[in-house]
Every structure is written in C-alpha cells, then in structure tokens.
Amino acid sequence: MSNLVLVLNGPNLNLLGLREPEIYGSTTLDEIAGMLEDRARELGLEIDMRQTNHEGMLVDWLHEAQAGGARAVLLNAGAYTHTSIALLDAIKAIATPVVEVHLSDPRTREPFRHVSYVGMAAALTVEGHGADSYRIALEAVAKGEI
C-alpha cells in the first residue's frame, strides 16, 4: 500500500490567514502544510499538498490520485463542496478513499452550506476543528479508519 496522501484544497483556501479569520482562523495554508508534513513523517506517510481555484483541476487531481496509487485523498473543496456534482462524480469514479475536510462546521453556517456533494461520496468527514481538521483526517488515514 502506498504511503502517499494527496491533500487537495479548493477555491480561496490560498487566502487562509487573511480571509475571514473569525471563521477560518489565522493559520495559513503553508503553515497547515508544514504541520501536516511533520505529522505525516511521524506516521510514516508522505503528503502532496496542492491548492487550486479551478474545479476541473480538482477533478483531474482526484483522477491522478487513483492512477498514481495514492493511499487516500484529504479534500477541502471549499465552496465547491456545496455546488459541484463534478467532484461528487469524480470521487465516486475512483477507488481511492477521500476524506472531506473543513476548517469550520458547515452545518452551523448559512443554509446553502448544509448540503455537501463531496460528503455524499467521501469515506469520512472531518469538520469544525480549524487547522486541526487536516491533522485529524490524516491520523484517520494512518489508523486505517477509512
């Protein structure tokens, strides 16, 4: 089994630390990547962290996870979580397990955020723990919980 975990981040997550810190916290995506790299090493895993503002790129990366034999994908699809049937279909099309990750808890926010197309196909959802949501998701992969 591969030790590679893809960590895919969607639109506006490049602005973490600046964008609505009262909701998303003050930790930047680069800081999350550093924390995850350290934790992955401790767990005997390797991460490949990526961010895009483009839906089709996320679909391509999900396909790449399958083709490259990744152990799992951690996916914070941002707003695409609530709008993208293309991501739902891509997750359903691959055997690689996907963990849905959210910094905030979408169920406590605007009603349109209560629907998660990503969650309809994800093996697990981790939400509402700020930057620690990524670590919790990575540890679930390491423990074989997905």
Side-chain angles (χ1 to χ4, degrees), residues 57-77:
M57 184 61 71
L58 289 169
V59 170
D60 288 345
W61 287 341
L62 286 164
H63 296 174
E64 183 183 323
Q66 165 99 1
R71 182 169 178 172
V73 173
L74 308 186
L75 175 60
N76 184 343

Side-chain angles (χ1 to χ4, degrees), residues 43-137:
L43 296 168
L45 298 172
E46 173 188 350
I47 65 160
D48 180 352
M49 182 116 161
R50 305 175 186 183
Q51 188 277 328
T52 184
N53 292 317
H54 304 281
E55 181 180 28
M57 184 61 71
L58 289 169
V59 170
D60 288 345
W61 287 341
L62 286 164
H63 296 174
E64 183 183 323
Q66 165 99 1
R71 182 169 178 172
V73 173
L74 308 186
L75 175 60
N76 184 343
Y80 291 137
T81 299
H82 318 291
T83 64
S84 181
I85 294 169
L87 287 177
L88 168 64
D89 287 348
I91 294 166
K92 289 169 59 175
I94 64 173
T96 307
V98 174
V99 179
E100 177 183 29
V101 176
H102 295 285
L103 298 163
S104 67
D105 181 350
R107 294 168 296 160
T108 65
R109 299 185 57 202
E110 303 93 336
F112 69 86
R113 295 187 195 275
H114 298 182
V115 173
S116 171
Y117 288 105
V118 170
M120 291 176 189
L124 177 70
T125 297
V126 179
E127 59 194 5
H129 300 280
D132 276 342
S133 292
Y134 288 90
R135 179 190 52 77
I136 293 165

Side-chain angles (χ1 to χ4, degrees), residues 21-42:
E22 67 281 2
I23 296 172
Y24 301 110
S26 58
T27 306
T28 67
L29 196 59
D30 285 342
E31 291 168 336
I32 291 171
M35 176 268 298
L36 272 185
E37 287 169 3
D38 291 344
R39 187 65 181 128
R41 258 190 308 281
E42 293 169 358

